[in-house]
């Protein structure tokens, strides 16, 4: 199978590329820079979709970029980097004489309202309530294909939790303070912490790229890209400290996070949602790292 990956040079994209190549698939990455095995976004718009059986979009400015202040320019980049690239790929698929059989977009769980008690599955109704859920709504809508293409192309949205892995994502910034014994809970620590190991997210995307067994549904199939374990920030903090054999006695107060990151962005870490991968498990997806212990051991010991 030939797979086209938007944002394939990022943290999740590198893991997905490795996995697909190991399975014998051919991968082309859409990147800002040209190079072997790559096309640019400009080439996609001018030359159209290259021949492929699967397309994925992972492109987007990093929400947790510690080098960017939370201001209007950064918010604009968060929206445009996701929505414009998704729209470009959806338009190229719609215009292709041979569209791929699968089109996968990876969004996030920020569409679900933070709560200590509510549990969310893929069927849960939601309406935008803050800037990030508004982004999610526009992002997923920008991936929709016109009706004449949905007969041949399966549309999939994977709503990912915090992606854990050694080479990027949330862990990259957390490991050093924890190694130094400066790790601690964020705020109360009671907030749910939906997460997934990067290998499992790559595996779920590969699973979603499989050709549809029947005529595809005209609407998007949604899968929650989270581990089946329901953990809190406190449980995550304690387990990471245990695996690293380091104390976790320095809680980070909410006002510190709000000051450093901006309150609209800090909400991702200071509040959380209990997200259940109901449809993901019903689809027969097998997790390699279904619990925190196995996931964190792999990350720390690799």
């Amino acid at each position: 199978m030939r797979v086209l990956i938007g944002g394939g040079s990022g943290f999740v994209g590198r893991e997905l590329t490795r996995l697909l190549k190991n399975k014998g698939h051919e991968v082309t990455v859409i990147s800002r820079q040209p190079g072997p095995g790559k096309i640019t976004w400009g080439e996609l718009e001018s030359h159209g979709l290259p021949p492929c059986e699967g397309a994925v979009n992972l492109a987007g400015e990093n929400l947790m970029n510690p080098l960017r202040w939370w201001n209007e320019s950064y918010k604009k980049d968060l929206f445009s980097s996701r929505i414009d690239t998704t729209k470009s790929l959806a338009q190229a698929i719609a215009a292709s004489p041979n569209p791929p059989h699968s089109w996968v977009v990876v969004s996030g769980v920020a569409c679900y309202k933070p709560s200590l008690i509510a549990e969310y599955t893929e069927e849960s109704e939601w309406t935008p309530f803050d800037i990030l859920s508004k982004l999610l709504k526009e992002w997923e809508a920008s991936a929709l294909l016109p009706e004449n293409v949905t007969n041949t192309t399966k549309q999939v949205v994977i709503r990912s939790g915090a992606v854990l892995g050694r080479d990027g994502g949330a862990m990259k910034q957390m490991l050093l303070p924890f190694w130094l014994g400066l790790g601690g809970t964020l705020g109360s620590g009671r907030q749910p912490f939906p997460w997934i190991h990067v290998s499992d997210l790559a595996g779920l995307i590969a699973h979603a790229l499989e050709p549809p067994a029947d005529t595809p549904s005209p609407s998007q199939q949604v899968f929650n890209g989270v581990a089946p374990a329901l953990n809190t920030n406190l449980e995550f903090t304690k387990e990471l400290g245990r695996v690293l054999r380091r104390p976790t006695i320095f809680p980070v107060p909410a006002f510190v996070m709000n000051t450093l990151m901006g309150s609209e962005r800090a909400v991702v870490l200071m509040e959380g949602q209990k997200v259940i991968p109901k449809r993901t498990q019903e689809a027969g997806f097998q997790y390699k790292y279904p619990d925190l212990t196995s996931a964190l051991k792999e990350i720390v010991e690799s």
Side-chain angles (χ1 to χ4, degrees), residues 10-91:
F11 169 47
V12 177
R14 293 192 302 270
E15 185 73 21
L16 177 61
T17 299
R18 257 197 305 271
L19 174 67
L20 291 172
K21 284 184 172 175
N22 287 345
K23 287 175 176 270
H25 302 306
E26 199 182 297
V27 175
T28 301
V29 168
I30 315 173
S31 173
R32 280 176 289 203
Q33 305 300 326
K38 291 180 178 179
I39 64 167
T40 64
W41 289 99
E43 286 169 332
L44 177 74
E45 285 185 26
S46 54
H47 304 320
L49 197 76
C52 61
E53 287 72 50
V56 183
N57 196 25
L58 299 166
E61 169 73 49
N62 178 9
L63 174 65
M64 294 298 164
N65 185 344
L67 307 175
R68 296 283 308 262
W69 282 109
W70 186 253
N71 54 27
E72 289 311 311
S73 140
Y74 183 37
K75 289 183 216 178
K76 196 162 164 277
D77 286 351
L78 282 179
F79 273 71
S80 63
S81 61
R82 287 164 172 76
I83 293 163
D84 295 353
T85 55
T86 303
K87 217 175 258 178
S88 291
L89 255 169
Q91 285 168 351

Side-chain angles (χ1 to χ4, degrees), residues 171-182:
M171 292 301 299
K172 201 171 185 182
Q173 290 158 34
M174 280 185 217
L175 280 175
L176 182 61
F178 271 83
W179 269 119
L180 298 173
L182 301 173

